[in-house]
Amino acid sequence: MSKVAFCFPGQGSLEMGMGREIAEAFPAAREVYRVGCEIDHLPQLFDTLDDGMARQWPIRADSARPETIAYLQRHGYPKLRPARKGPASVKEGIIFLQSYDLVVHPRCRHTIDELTMYRYRTDPLTGIVTPQLMETTNHVIDALRYAVEQVRQAYTGAAPSAVGEQASYWRSGPA
């Protein structure tokens, strides 16, 4: 039997289990997405998700941007915390996400687009998929990785050490 994860990205990444609460509270879940949003507009943007209820949620954000985290904490998002990243966390996070069948609400267009387009590099001479991730649009995927990073690190044996040949397909990741 495969593992299933429901993805409800919205205001950055979410904590594990948050999707269930969102699904119950908001049957028509949606995403809040804007690339290049000015830092002083972020609280206003996040508040559009659910009339400000996100201010009460635990949120994981990119630890490479401590000034953004501090700003949001000072402006009504006290539960926002930096994601814990480490060596190989991108590759291992992607492999961990691939170990689930991700169920994404159809209104989450950016999430669907990113998951559809995300790929590993293919050797141009042999056509073999390599373990190197392509640099691509991955804003939502990064948010998903941040949300599950603590679980992935604690979950022994969850992430295999090698990327399979079908790594470019999300549903064909390791079981």
Side-chain angles (χ1 to χ4, degrees):
M1 176 158 24
S2 65
K3 298 176 281 182
V4 177
F6 292 87
C7 301
F8 295 94
Q11 77 298 343
S13 59
L14 308 174
E15 293 285 352
M16 289 298 294
M18 183 65 83
R20 179 175 300 133
E21 294 174 27
I22 295 172
E24 290 169 0
F26 306 99
R30 62 186 180 89
E31 62 188 1
V32 173
Y33 183 98
R34 186 171 305 149
V35 175
C37 182
E38 295 292 332
I39 191 171
D40 56 334
H41 296 145
L42 285 174
Q44 199 176 348
L45 175 66
F46 292 174
D47 287 345
T48 65
L49 181 63
D50 65 349
D51 297 323
M53 291 299 295
R55 291 174 180 265
Q56 300 172 21
W57 299 345
I59 301 170
R60 293 283 173 205
D62 190 345
S63 57
R65 300 297 307 266
E67 73 284 1
T68 302
I69 293 169
Y71 180 88
L72 287 167
Q73 287 172 335
R74 288 191 315 269
H75 290 87
Y77 287 85
K79 294 185 179 183
L80 192 136
R81 298 288 181 265
R84 292 184 343 184
K85 298 191 270 187
S89 64
V90 174
K91 178 181 173 184
E92 291 173 5
I94 295 300
I95 292 170
F96 184 77
L97 288 171
Q98 287 177 319
S99 72
Y100 289 84
D101 286 335
L102 301 178
V103 179
V104 181
H105 193 285
R107 289 183 64 187
C108 298
R109 293 298 319 153
H110 294 96
T111 305
I112 292 167
D113 290 347
E114 284 189 24
L115 291 174
T116 302
M117 300 305 293
Y118 207 72
R119 300 282 185 265
Y120 285 85
R121 292 192 188 280
T122 303
D123 184 299
L125 300 175
T126 65
I128 295 174
V129 177
T130 72
Q132 291 180 310
L133 294 168
M134 291 181 66
E135 292 298 323
T136 184
T137 302
N138 55 4
H139 305 291
V140 176
I141 293 171
D142 285 347
L144 293 173
R145 283 190 310 100
Y146 301 154
V148 301
E149 186 64 18
Q150 287 181 306
V151 174
R152 184 195 63 77
Q153 289 175 355
Y155 197 107
T156 57
S161 59
V163 175
E165 287 184 17
Q166 298 297 320
S168 63
Y169 238 146
W170 283 93
R171 295 184 66 84
S172 63

